[in-house]
């Protein structure tokens, strides 16, 4: 049984070998392409540079079926084997190039249509008139006055308060708003002071906004001095109350007072609030960083600025529970858009660079001051963050007193917590 089984296995092996040999002599292991009659001829053709498509891809991809000859009816080229393959490749490349050209043509046509639509829309956008003044803002403007400084109109408010009191307070507003920032505490101030005076700095609010113009803190300080001369108060002792941008103007006025400059104010007291008096602790907003350097983007960004961009940029500097209403934001935006003020914002922001350049002058004036000085601070301020700012302030001005408002009060304390702000200021004024 063992010998019979071995013999049968040997016969099966021999039979299989014979079948493989017969298959090898009848057809190659791959499908012939029509140019090659046998395996040997196919290998020879490949060595000489011919591309046998049947070795590289299925026969139908090049028109070669299971038969040795190409079927022209499949694609109508009338060619055989490798010639058929090259023709199909060239046709595929030509077709792809045609598709790309058609796609580029359609894209060009689309951009032309977009451009034709965008040009009139952009022109209309850039000529959108400023918003109308709300009744409250219109009343504020109507009750104010203008005086002329070197041919430029400067808006100011001057209210008479307590009769018989010698006290005068001058309010200096912040960036990018106006004297209207003080409206919530205005009446309370008139109950304590004989004269309450506020102005819109050049480039702000209802004052003129020339362009091009080199806006500077020095010029703004000179405008304050000119206003008090205009009102006949140049020899009176003045209490200064300032915020943000106004803090820097107050520092320059304080420097001139200390140096006994001609035309200077006689400053009785100074109260600052949430201003970046130290460049190293000041954290400007992203839009301010882009605009302050005066690069090629500045004129583009100022022209494209709208209420949505403005409100989205300003709202985060308020506390989460004390953010302005939409109508209040529109009042602020109306003050900026008046006289095309949005187009000078990049020029006004040069004060950030000026503050760094003249740090020794302005911080030195604060550090060596002998008059009463106070700081009202909203601790949630992202522009002058707690505790870095407050620690540096107390270290630099150890003689100054400080009022810290509630934890949720931020960069605009006179608007976010007017009663707390007013009480803090009155406590300071009544302390000397």
């Amino acid at each position: 049984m063992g010998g019979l089984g071995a013999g049968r296995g040997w016969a099966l092996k021999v039979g299989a070998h014979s079948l493989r040999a017969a298959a090898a002599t009848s057809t190659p292991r791959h499908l012939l392409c029509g140019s090659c009659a046998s395996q040997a001829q196919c290998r020879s053709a490949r060595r000489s540079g011919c591309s046998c498509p049947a070795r590289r891809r299925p026969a139908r991809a090049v028109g070669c079926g299971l038969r040795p000859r190409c079927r022209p009816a499949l694609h109508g080229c009338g060619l055989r084997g490798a010639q058929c393959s090259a023709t199909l490749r060239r046709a595929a490349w030509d077709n792809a190039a045609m598709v790309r050209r058609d796609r580029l043509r359609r894209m060009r046509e689309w951009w032309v249509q977009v451009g034709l639509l965008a040009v009139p829309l952009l022109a209309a956008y850039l000529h959108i008139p400023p918003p109308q003044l709300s009744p409250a803002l219109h009343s504020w403007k109507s009750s104010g006055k203008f005086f002329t400084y070197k041919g430029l109109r400067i808006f100011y408010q001057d209210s008479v308060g307590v009769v018989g009191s010698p006290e005068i307070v001058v309010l200096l507003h912040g960036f990018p708003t106006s004297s209207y920032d003080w409206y919530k505490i205005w009446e309370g101030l008139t109950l304590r002071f004989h004269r309450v005076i506020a102005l819109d700095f050049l480039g702000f609010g209802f004052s003129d906004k020339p362009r091009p113009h080199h806006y500077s803190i020095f010029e703004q300080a000179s405008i304050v001095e000119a206003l008090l001369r205009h009102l006949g108060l140049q020899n009176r002792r003045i209490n200064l109350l300032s915020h943000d941008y106004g803090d820097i103007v107050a520092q320059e006025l304080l420097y001139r007072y200390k140096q006994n400059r001609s035309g200077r104010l006689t400053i009785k007291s100074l109260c600052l609030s949430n201003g970046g008096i130290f460049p190293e602790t000041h954290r400007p907003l992203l839009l301010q960083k882009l605009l302050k350097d005066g690069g090629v983007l500045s004129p583009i960004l100022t022209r494209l600025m709208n209420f949505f961009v403005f409100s989205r940029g300003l709202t985060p500097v308020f506390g989460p529970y004390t953010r302005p209403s939409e109508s209040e934001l529109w009042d602020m935006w109306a003050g900026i858009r008046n006289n095309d003020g949005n187009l000078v914002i990049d020029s006004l922001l040069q004060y950030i660079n000026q503050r760094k350049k003249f740090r020794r002058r302005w911080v030195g004036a604060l550090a060596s001051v002998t008059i009463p000085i106070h700081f009202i601070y909203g601790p949630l301020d992202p522009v002058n963050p707690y505790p870095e700012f407050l620690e540096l302030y107390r270290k630099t001005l150890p003689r100054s007193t400080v009022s810290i408002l509630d934890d949720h009060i931020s960069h605009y304390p006179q608007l976010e917590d007017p009663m707390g702000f007013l009480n803090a200021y009155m406590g300071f004024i009544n302390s000397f």
Side-chain angles (χ1 to χ4, degrees):
M1 291 294 290
L4 182 58
R8 187 178 299 169
W10 177 81
L12 290 173
K13 290 181 180 179
V14 171
H17 178 73
S18 300
L19 289 172
R20 284 197 297 270
T25 57
S26 60
T27 50
R29 293 183 183 180
H30 62 286
L31 299 175
L32 298 181
C33 66
S35 295
C36 310
S38 67
Q39 280 194 34
Q41 187 178 354
C42 180
R43 285 196 295 271
S44 175
R46 287 176 60 82
R47 284 196 296 271
S48 64
C50 172
S51 175
C52 181
R55 294 182 65 92
R56 292 180 292 106
R57 58 177 66 88
R60 293 190 181 181
V62 297
C64 299
L66 297 177
R67 300 179 181 178
R69 296 251 175 218
C70 179
R71 291 192 241 172
L74 292 178
H75 43 74
C77 66
L79 300 176
R80 305 294 182 183
Q83 291 178 334
C84 172
S85 176
T87 301
L88 286 177
R89 284 198 297 270
R90 284 194 298 270
W93 292 336
D94 291 343
N95 184 57
M98 186 184 305
V99 170
R100 286 195 296 269
R101 286 194 298 269
D102 187 61
R103 186 179 300 160
L104 289 173
R105 179 183 59 78
R106 289 199 303 268
M107 287 182 63
R108 283 195 296 268
E109 291 176 354
W110 185 83
W111 278 113
V112 168
Q113 293 172 2
V114 169
L116 292 174
L117 180 63
V119 168
L121 289 177
L122 182 61
Y125 173 82
L126 295 177
H127 290 85
I128 293 176
Q132 292 185 347
L133 303 183
S134 67
L137 191 58
H138 185 270
S139 175
W140 180 263
K141 181 180 180 180
S142 299
S143 61
K145 300 175 183 178
F146 289 88
F147 86 102
T148 301
Y149 173 81
K150 295 183 178 181
L152 300 169
R153 282 162 46 91
I154 305 298
F155 175 83
Y156 70 95
Q157 285 277 1
D158 179 14
S159 293
V160 176
V162 179
V163 178
S165 171
E167 298 287 342
I168 300 171
V169 60
V170 175
L171 313 178
L172 309 176
H173 68 81
F175 177 92
T177 42
S178 67
S179 58
Y180 193 60
D181 288 351
W182 304 107
Y183 82 97
K184 288 187 177 181
I185 65 171
W186 191 265
E187 184 177 354
L189 292 173
T190 59
L191 298 177
R192 174 63 175 78
F193 295 93
H194 176 56
R195 298 280 287 274
V196 181
I197 301 167
L199 77 158
D200 287 349
F201 290 124
L202 184 67
F204 295 82
F206 298 120
S207 293
D208 282 352
K209 299 168 181 177
R211 64 180 198 278
H213 185 81
H214 177 67
Y215 292 89
S216 72
I217 295 297
F218 302 103
E219 181 181 43
Q220 306 288 20
S222 297
I223 290 173
V224 175
E225 293 173 339
L227 172 60
L228 293 179
R229 286 196 299 271
H230 173 76
L231 297 174
L233 301 174
Q234 65 271 25
N235 296 322
R236 300 286 297 273
R237 300 181 71 195
I238 304 297
N239 298 285
L240 289 178
L241 174 58
S242 61
H243 170 246
D244 187 63
Y245 183 94
D247 287 357
I248 316 302
V249 179
Q251 287 176 267
E252 172 59 21
L253 291 170
L254 192 62
Y255 177 84
R256 297 181 185 187
Y257 169 73
K258 178 186 172 185
Q259 298 295 318
N260 198 24
R261 296 281 185 90
S262 59
R264 62 179 174 79
L265 299 184
T266 302
I267 301 175
K268 181 179 180 180
S269 70
L270 172 61
C271 181
L272 310 165
S273 61
N274 284 82
I277 58 179
F278 303 116
E280 56 268 40
T281 59
H282 183 250
R283 303 290 183 269
L285 303 177
L286 176 60
L287 187 59
Q288 292 178 329
K289 293 179 182 178
L290 293 174
L291 292 174
K292 74 180 179 64
D293 295 326
V296 294
L297 286 177
S298 296
I300 299 174
L301 292 174
T302 54
R303 287 187 176 277
L304 294 179
M305 187 177 296
N306 55 27
F307 173 74
F308 176 77
V309 175
F310 165 75
S311 60
R312 288 291 297 271
L314 188 67
T315 300
V317 304
F318 285 79
Y321 312 114
T322 55
R323 289 181 175 174
S325 65
E326 186 171 350
S327 62
E328 290 173 325
L329 286 169
W330 273 110
D331 283 341
M332 295 177 185
W333 178 239
I336 293 173
R337 278 300 314 275
N338 184 71
N339 294 332
D340 292 328
N342 57 304
L343 302 182
V344 303
I345 285 181
D346 55 334
S347 300
L348 292 171
L349 277 168
Q350 296 309 307
Y351 85 92
I352 296 178
N353 299 325
Q354 295 168 18
R355 181 172 52 199
K356 292 181 180 179
K357 183 177 181 180
F358 298 102
R359 183 193 186 282
R360 179 177 296 182
R361 173 189 179 107
W362 292 335
V363 175
L366 284 176
S368 60
V369 72
T370 56
I371 62 171
I373 186 169
H374 188 67
F375 197 96
I376 302 176
Y377 185 52
L380 202 59
D381 188 359
V383 181
N384 304 286
Y386 179 88
E388 296 92 336
F389 170 81
L390 198 57
E391 290 174 352
L392 182 58
Y393 182 87
R394 283 173 164 162
K395 180 180 178 180
T396 307
L397 287 83
R399 293 181 60 254
S400 173
T401 53
V402 177
S403 294
I404 303 177
L405 302 182
D406 291 343
D407 292 344
H408 64 275
I409 304 302
S410 187
H411 185 66
Y412 276 86
Q414 75 275 31
L415 292 175
E416 299 179 60
D417 184 13
M419 188 56 64
F421 186 96
L422 188 61
N423 289 337
Y425 183 60
M426 291 304 176
F428 164 64
I429 288 295
N430 294 329
S431 67
F432 57 89

